[in-house]
Structure formats: structure tokens, C-alpha cells
Amino acid sequence: MSCRSLVTLFMREMFTLFEGHLPWICILFVPICSDFLHFLFKVNNVGTNIRKPTTEFSAEDYSFLMATNLESAYHLCQLAHPLLKASGLGSIVFISSVCGLVAVFSGTLYAMTKGAINQLTKNLACEWAKDGIRTNSVAPWYITTSLTEGLLANKEFEASVVSRTPLGRVGEPGEVSSLVAFLCMPGSTYITGQTISVDGGMTVNGLYPA
């Protein structure tokens, strides 16, 4: 079966599974085929947050964040495995967060889901390497997106973020997407199992006065 036929079959299965639509799952499959190269990549980009103290999270909050941030990526990887394996050169990129690497006051549930994504990245890299599938994770700090715009509108909060960031600013979406693109391309075929921070140096900043 051709790469394109496998993609079509997968999408039909997904639309059946989710009753004809994918309302909140961000998933990207791109087959690239030529006489010399044939590879496929998958980007797990869905994510959200509920910011509360740990003692205030409900069971519903827990289930919602786990399902959205972790379970969706996990189960889609299971479904995509045959397609990625058949491509010969498969690549999975997870969008994680620095909250899965260091303690950040964005809520314990969000941090748990991103920490789990980082570990899933390592395990799949080892388990699926024999199938020609690489897995990596990209861990951004504060980036100017719809998820952070409300927080960053508070200039005092933005200043606190910038003060912990050696490069002295928040990030831009293109600075994340360019790394994601690289991890999907042939130039990264010896990179797997890595969680790479896009954070302006925040995660390595201990106590180093400006």
C-alpha cells in the first residue's frame, strides 16, 4: 500500500473514531515521497491549561487536562504507528513545555502532563527505533500565543518572565515551529529521544545576575 493510501486510510479511521470531526485534536501527517526519499512526520500539538493551586483541582479538571494534553497524543501515536513504520523514515514531534523540566507556577496538572510527554518521548524513541521511527519533544517557555496572551498582557507578570530569561524577552511562535520543522526533516535523522528547550536560556538560569 502506498504512503498516500495509508494516510487516507488513517484519516478515515480517525474521522470514524471521532464521529466525523476532529474538534480539538491538532495532528499533522505529511508524506514526502520521491525516488530517493520517503518519510512521514507527525506533530502532537494539542494542549491547554487550567491554572489553580493543587488543592483546588477537581476530578473533572484532572481528567480534562490528562485527556487533552497526554492521552490524545498517546493514543494517536498508537494509531499512527503502522503508518509511520510503513513510511520507512517516520518522525514524531511532541510539543511539551519547560514546565515538564523545571518547577513553574503554571499548575501541577499541566506540569505532570508535560513531564509525562517528555518521558513518553524517551520510551518511544527506544521502542520504535527498530521500526524507523524517531521521537523528539520541543519544550517552549513563554511564547506569544493565544494560551499566554492574557497572562503576558499583565506587564508586571511579563517582566517577571523576562527577568528569568537570559535572552531578556518572551519567544515568538516561529522560533518554536522552526525547530519542529527541523526535527521532521532529513537533517535530523540521527536525533531521537531528546527534549529540546526553546526558552531563551530559562531552564539553565540558576543564579546569574544580569
Side-chain angles (χ1 to χ4, degrees):
M1 185 177 289
S2 71
C3 181
R4 190 170 300 279
S5 296
L6 284 168
V7 172
T8 301
L9 182 63
F10 177 86
M11 293 310 297
R12 285 177 181 169
E13 184 175 349
M14 289 300 299
F15 272 72
T16 300
L17 182 63
F18 291 95
E19 299 179 343
H21 57 88
L22 303 178
W24 50 267
I25 294 178
C26 294
I27 179 171
L28 177 62
F29 278 92
V30 178
I32 301 179
C33 308
S34 72
D35 293 338
F36 307 101
L37 185 64
H38 181 184
F39 63 96
L40 184 78
F41 61 83
K42 172 178 179 288
V43 179
N44 293 286
N45 189 43
V46 67
T48 190
N49 195 13
I50 300 171
R51 293 176 175 85
K52 292 181 181 179
T54 299
T55 54
E56 295 181 12
F57 280 114
S58 66
E60 291 75 17
D61 294 334
Y62 181 94
S63 296
F64 175 72
L65 286 177
M66 287 295 173
T68 304
N69 293 3
L70 178 59
E71 292 174 22
S72 62
Y74 183 84
H75 293 307
L76 285 169
C77 285
Q78 289 179 307
L79 287 169
H81 176 266
L83 184 63
L84 292 161
K85 181 179 179 179
S87 77
L89 287 170
S91 177
I92 298 172
V93 180
F94 297 98
I95 304 302
S96 180
S97 169
V98 296
C99 297
L101 297 170
V102 297
V104 178
F105 51 91
S106 291
T108 52
L109 290 184
Y110 183 77
M112 287 167 62
T113 63
K114 296 305 183 178
I117 286 290
N118 295 342
Q119 187 60 46
L120 178 61
T121 298
K122 297 173 185 177
N123 280 68
L124 290 185
C126 295
E127 182 180 342
W128 289 357
K130 66 183 184 298
D131 299 325
I133 301 170
R134 297 180 300 108
T135 63
N136 291 287
S137 182
V138 173
W141 177 219
Y142 276 95
I143 307 295
T144 54
T145 68
S146 58
L147 190 63
T148 63
E149 63 184 356
L151 289 168
L152 295 175
N154 181 329
K155 295 306 177 183
E156 184 177 345
F157 177 82
E158 182 182 23
S160 70
V161 169
V162 169
S163 71
R164 293 292 303 147
T165 308
L167 288 184
R169 61 178 177 84
V170 298
E172 296 297 329
E175 294 172 307
V176 177
S177 61
S178 58
L179 175 58
V180 172
F182 170 71
L183 291 172
C184 294
M185 295 293 105
S188 65
T189 49
Y190 202 55
I191 301 173
T192 193
Q194 305 305 305
T195 297
I196 305 174
S197 297
V198 183
D199 65 354
M202 188 280 287
T203 54
V204 299
N205 188 16
L207 179 60
Y208 206 94

